[in-house]
Amino acid sequence: MKHKMVSIGDDNEITFETRDFCPAHLLFKIESFSLLSENGIDKIESSEFELDDNYKWKLIIYPEGRYAKDGANHVSAYLAVENKSKPDAGWELNAVVSIFLLNHKLDKYMFKKGQRRFHLLNPEWGFSKFIVKETLTNPSNGFLVDECCVFGAEVFVVKNEGIRETLTNPSNGHLVDDSCVFGAEVFVVKNKGIRECMSILKVTNSFKHELKISKFSKLEKEWNSKEFNAGDHKWKVCVYPKGNGAQNGSHVSIFLHKVGFSSGEKVKADCSICIKNQSKIGNRKYQFNRLFSASSNSWGWPSFIPIADMKQPGCLVGDVCIIEVEISIQAVLRSLP
């Protein structure tokens, strides 16, 4: 069913279609959509979902548009693929991909569909102008209800392994001169994909925590802090006074760890770590923005500060090092039942 709303994809002008049943491979719910801009989040990615042949896919949403010129005033949506088994090989595949957006008012999924050849040099395809942002954010249109919108994705890899046959004229055994060629494809939709929700949080304040490490210069191995809370999440800091890995013996290494994850949970946070200068001359501080998950639960710097610099005035007072951690939780991604 064609819908009257029109938008232009990256390749051609493609109109929205609608259907009743939900996407087969991914359902991606975003809560508090308007806070994306407020929190400075200009790109969000779903978890990966895997199809046959060891290919992994993910949905990428650009709330402010992917390109300033082509995607201005629009929300952009793309599907990206990666061959995990042979990342350096000259792989390619043909696929029919669809990107969905739920219209709560109509109780239907609106989607745009296209056929694409994916390969190592061109692993993404989608729409820089998936939907006009004003259309999406206007509650009367039914896409954003209680600050919540739902995206989805389907991918069907096309393999030319079907039956190929010729119909002959039974009266004389010859091919019919006035010939034509028909064909058919059938993709059975099974709802076994990923279902997840991203809750965008209003960043009203950050969580600060101060750690004191005694007898710092005498520590040989790693030092781990006690767990502390930032929001509803637990964290800890790991310090290598003599360095970690390639920086062993030359730098102090510091890492922030997110402790404990519920099933399918991911946490996006703005973080900063600094070694406090107790003489109030100036702190050694680093900042980063990171999506923490069960498989990627830590982030930090192997070369946070040269070991020799720890002898500067104020870094160690009474052989005590003070580390300050500041965390602002921006979003939480969790699995939907």
Side-chain angles (χ1 to χ4, degrees), residues 195-212:
R195 300 167 64 88
E196 58 187 10
C197 172
M198 176 172 278
S199 300
I200 312 300
L201 307 179
K202 188 175 181 62
V203 182
T204 55
N205 63 313
S206 58
F207 302 91
K208 297 181 180 180
H209 195 77
E210 187 175 272
L211 306 168
K212 292 185 178 181

Side-chain angles (χ1 to χ4, degrees), residues 220-231:
E220 295 295 332
K221 298 181 179 180
E222 68 181 88
W223 177 90
N224 289 283
S225 73
K226 294 182 178 179
E227 295 180 4
F228 57 92
N229 292 324

Side-chain angles (χ1 to χ4, degrees), residues 30 33-45 60-68 71 74-78 133 198 200 268 270 289 330-331:
I30 303 174
F33 186 86
S34 64
L35 293 180
L36 289 169
S37 298
E38 187 173 320
N39 291 348
I41 302 174
D42 56 9
K43 176 184 178 181
I44 52 177
E45 300 180 357
I60 306 174
I61 305 295
Y62 297 86
E64 302 296 329
R66 183 175 185 179
Y67 304 111
H74 286 74
V75 174
S76 303
Y78 290 80
K133 186 172 182 180
M198 176 172 278
I200 312 300
K268 186 175 179 61
D270 257 334
N289 186 279
Q330 293 183 311

Side-chain angles (χ1 to χ4, degrees), residues 7-10 16 28 30 42 44 58-67 71 74-80 97-101 112 124-131 136 151-153:
S7 184
I8 299 174
D10 279 4
F16 272 116
F28 188 52
I30 303 174
D42 56 9
I44 52 177
K58 62 183 175 182
L59 178 66
I60 306 174
I61 305 295
Y62 297 86
E64 302 296 329
R66 183 175 185 179
Y67 304 111
H74 286 74
V75 174
S76 303
Y78 290 80
L79 276 167
V97 299
S98 302
I99 300 177
F100 295 77
L101 179 61
K112 291 184 176 182
E124 294 186 17
W125 184 85
F127 306 95
S128 58
K129 296 182 178 179
F130 182 71
I131 187 170
L136 173 65
F151 288 86

Side-chain angles (χ1 to χ4, degrees), residues 303-320:
S303 54
F304 191 91
I305 184 174
I307 294 175
D309 287 1
M310 292 297 294
K311 298 177 181 179
Q312 294 178 355
C315 287
L316 295 176
V317 175
D319 208 18
V320 174

Side-chain angles (χ1 to χ4, degrees), residues 9 37 60 100 115 119 125 137 201 225 246 250-251 258 298 317 323:
S37 298
I60 306 174
F100 295 77
Q115 302 175 41
H119 51 87
W125 184 85
T137 56
L201 307 179
S225 73
S250 63
H251 287 75
K258 166 73 173 67
S298 66
V317 175
I323 295 177

Side-chain angles (χ1 to χ4, degrees), residues 139-207:
S140 65
N141 291 326
F143 295 108
L144 200 65
V145 176
D146 296 328
E147 277 292 296
C148 167
C149 59
V150 179
F151 288 86
E154 280 183 357
V155 180
F156 296 106
V157 178
V158 180
K159 299 179 180 180
N160 295 322
E161 299 176 352
I163 295 174
R164 302 170 69 90
E165 59 185 12
T166 301
L167 177 66
T168 61
N169 189 329
S171 64
N172 53 26
H174 298 292
L175 291 176
V176 179
D177 291 334
D178 190 11
S179 64
C180 60
V181 179
F182 291 86
E185 287 181 349
V186 178
F187 299 107
V188 179
V189 178
K190 298 179 181 179
N191 293 323
K192 296 181 179 179
I194 294 174
R195 300 167 64 88
E196 58 187 10
C197 172
M198 176 172 278
S199 300
I200 312 300
L201 307 179
K202 188 175 181 62
V203 182
T204 55
N205 63 313
S206 58
F207 302 91

